[in-house]
Amino acid sequence: MDERLLNALHVLDSSIWIDLIDRHPDLLYKVVDLANLSVLQIGVPGTVHLEMTRNAPERLAARKRDWHARIGELIRFAEMLRRTEDPFGPDGPPSRSYVSALEAMRGSIDDFEGDPHHGMVTDLLRSKHVTAISEPKAIHAQVVEYGISKKKPYGGKNSTADATILFATARWAARHPDRDVFFHT
C-alpha cells in the first residue's frame, strides 16, 4: 500500500460512515481496527460527529420498522405454506414452527437497544485515535456566505453540512501543509 495513503488524514463524511454501518460492517471493523492501531488516521469534523450522534435514534427506529415489515412478510408466507401442501415433503420442517419462531423474533425487535456497528463508530469518533477538526465561527460565516450566493457545494439536501465539513477540512489542511488529506464523501 502506498505509504502516502497511510500517513494521510482521511476525513469520512457521515454518508460514508452510514454506508459502512448499513452495508459493509466487515469493512467497518477493518477501518476501526486500523484507526485504533494508529495505522489509519481519521479526521472528524464536528458536523460529522453531530450527525452521527443526533440521527442514531431515528436510524434505529427506521431499522426496527423495516425488521417488523420483513418478518411480517415471512410470517404471512409461512402461514400460506401451512394452509397448502407441505412443499418440503414428509421429512420437511412443519410450517407452524417457522411461524412461532418468526413471531418470537418479531417480539424481540422492540427490546433491541442499539446497533452495535453504530455504537462502534460513535465510540471511535470520540476516541483519542481520531483527529478532531474544529469548526470555528469563521467557517460558519463562510458557509452562510456561500449559501446566500448559491455557490458550490450548495445544491443538494445536505448542502450546509457538506459545506461546513468541506471548509473545516480545507482549513485544517491549510494549517498542516506537511500532511495529505483525503476527503471521502
Side-chain angles (χ1 to χ4, degrees):
M1 178 176 275
D2 186 352
E3 193 170 318
R4 210 176 101 209
L5 287 175
L6 292 177
N7 293 327
L9 183 72
H10 296 271
V11 178
L12 284 71
D13 187 24
S14 304
S15 61
I16 300 295
W17 288 114
I18 290 168
D19 193 49
L20 288 170
I21 290 167
D22 289 346
R23 296 187 192 123
H24 306 287
D26 52 331
L27 182 57
L28 174 63
Y29 283 111
K30 291 175 185 171
V31 168
V32 170
D33 286 345
L34 289 172
N36 286 332
L37 293 170
S38 298
V39 173
L40 181 65
Q41 306 298 313
I42 296 177
V44 182
T47 300
V48 170
H49 189 270
L50 178 66
E51 286 178 336
M52 293 305 297
T53 54
R54 179 188 61 212
N55 295 333
E58 294 165 6
R59 290 178 37 73
L60 179 59
R63 184 169 277 171
K64 284 182 178 182
R65 285 190 302 274
D66 181 56
W67 290 338
H68 274 290
R70 288 177 186 221
I71 290 175
E73 291 170 10
L74 290 171
I75 289 172
R76 285 189 292 281
F77 180 70
E79 287 287 350
M80 181 192 71
L81 284 178
R82 192 169 57 91
R83 290 189 298 269
T84 63
E85 203 174 301
D86 189 353
F88 300 105
D91 296 328
S95 298
R96 186 70 215 152
S97 64
Y98 285 145
V99 173
S100 298
L102 290 168
E103 286 172 345
M105 286 171 73
R106 184 165 53 181
S108 67
I109 288 174
D110 292 327
D111 296 332
F112 187 71
E113 292 296 322
D115 185 337
H117 298 129
H118 194 278
M120 185 186 324
V121 170
T122 54
D123 288 348
L124 176 66
L125 297 183
R126 288 188 205 117
S127 78
K128 64 179 181 165
H129 299 288
V130 298
T131 300
I133 298 177
S134 65
E135 297 172 2
K137 289 182 182 181
I139 295 292
H140 295 282
Q142 186 180 11
V143 167
V144 169
E145 177 188 321
Y146 271 64
I148 290 170
S149 303
K150 297 187 185 329
K151 293 180 183 176
K152 293 286 182 188
Y154 282 87
K157 183 176 136 187
N158 277 342
S159 297
T160 300
D162 290 344
T164 303
I165 294 165
L166 179 66
F167 295 150
T169 301
R171 178 180 174 270
W172 189 93
R175 292 176 177 223
H176 299 87
D178 56 320
R179 297 282 305 274
D180 289 325
V181 178
F182 292 92
F183 182 52
H184 308 274
T185 69

